[in-house]
Amino acid sequence: MKKYLKTIVYLAAALVSVACSSGGDNDPSSFKSESYNGVVSRGNTYEGIWMVNDVKAEAADVSINFYDTEVQGDALPSTATFFGFPFQAITDLVMPGATVSSIPNSIAIPMRYVGYSDNAFYLEFTPMYYSSMDPQNIYYQVILEDGKEIGLTIHLVTEKSSVILDSGSGTFSCIIPVDKILCSEGAGVIFKEIPFNPEMELKYTNTKRTKGSIVGN
């Protein structure tokens, strides 16, 4: 059942890509799961915008390194590195009046290759990463209206994410669900959990590709 639901998510994402594409046949019925050979995208950077539950949020740049083959040896996996994340928009939803005070300089989230159609590559985010980072739990700090500073941890549901690299229009987009936020203070002691049902949805869509190119398939 889980595999069936994931297939539906990717087909829906493909339809969105069709609407945004500037050319080429991107029919989701032509989706292929077999490997495409070699490095497809290295050093692509984009400017774009985040949306939180379909509400426009912070602007951000993202850098993409995409390999469609298995990671071997010390090689890094495919990654999307975001220079900007919708921290304030998320905070406004869960703690109105609080102000973001400390955030990561960048957030690198690894990606797993899933397949491709005639005009796009399909991926999903994954919590697996070869470093001390935890890409599924994004930590930052906020100051409450009473002046108290606390930490918030956004828990990304990476197994329900979807990522599209459109090689025709040169666009990058992704959807990442969030199922909870953990509140902590002091030495990281969690004092509250804020669950989301339905899950909060973070969407990123680029407005311009500023560097690089994608090898067509």
Side-chain angles (χ1 to χ4, degrees), residues 67-78 111 130:
Y67 307 80
D68 74 340
T69 52
E70 293 293 324
V71 176
Q72 299 293 334
D74 296 326
L76 290 175
S78 300
M111 302 183 292
Y130 303 99

Side-chain angles (χ1 to χ4, degrees), residues 34-41 66-71 78 112-116 121 123:
E34 66 269 22
S35 178
Y36 182 84
N37 236 349
V39 176
V40 177
S41 172
F66 168 39
Y67 307 80
D68 74 340
T69 52
E70 293 293 324
V71 176
S78 300
R112 184 179 73 87
Y113 173 78
V114 176
Y116 66 95
F121 298 94
L123 304 94

Side-chain angles (χ1 to χ4, degrees), residues 54-200:
D54 292 324
V55 177
K56 188 175 180 180
E58 289 96 316
D61 294 341
V62 61
S63 176
I64 305 296
N65 283 292
F66 168 39
Y67 307 80
D68 74 340
T69 52
E70 293 293 324
V71 176
Q72 299 293 334
D74 296 326
L76 290 175
S78 300
T79 55
T81 302
F82 294 96
F83 300 91
F85 207 73
F87 291 112
Q88 189 61 59
I90 293 171
T91 302
D92 290 342
L93 285 177
V94 297
M95 293 184 175
T99 304
V100 174
S101 59
S102 179
I103 62 174
N105 291 327
S106 62
I107 298 171
I109 309 179
M111 302 183 292
R112 184 179 73 87
Y113 173 78
V114 176
Y116 66 95
S117 64
D118 286 343
N119 206 41
F121 298 94
Y122 302 91
L123 304 94
E124 66 181 3
F125 290 120
T126 168
M128 299 302 294
Y129 200 72
Y130 303 99
S131 76
S132 59
M133 294 178 61
D134 182 358
Q136 199 166 21
N137 293 284
I138 310 301
Y139 176 82
Y140 68 110
Q141 294 177 313
V142 302
I143 298 177
L144 305 180
E145 288 184 295
D146 62 5
K148 182 179 180 179
E149 188 169 48
I150 65 171
L152 299 181
T153 300
I154 304 167
H155 184 259
L156 307 179
V157 189
T158 53
E159 65 269 23
K160 293 184 180 180
S161 65
S162 62
V163 183
I164 296 178
L165 276 168
D166 191 311
S167 56
S169 62
T171 59
F172 168 82
S173 61
C174 66
I175 299 175
I176 320 174
V178 174
D179 65 350
K180 61 185 175 182
I181 290 180
L182 304 177
C183 307
S184 58
E185 60 182 346
V189 178
I190 296 172
F191 67 87
K192 183 179 182 180
E193 178 178 313
I194 304 173
F196 300 109
N197 186 20
E199 294 156 339
M200 177 187 292

Side-chain angles (χ1 to χ4, degrees), residues 44-50 58-64 82-83 170-173 204-211:
N44 280 268
T45 57
Y46 302 87
E47 295 176 359
I49 192 76
W50 283 103
E58 289 96 316
D61 294 341
V62 61
S63 176
I64 305 296
F82 294 96
F83 300 91
T171 59
F172 168 82
S173 61
Y204 179 88
T205 304
N206 81 291
T207 53
K208 181 172 69 171
R209 186 171 67 203
T210 55
K211 180 183 177 183

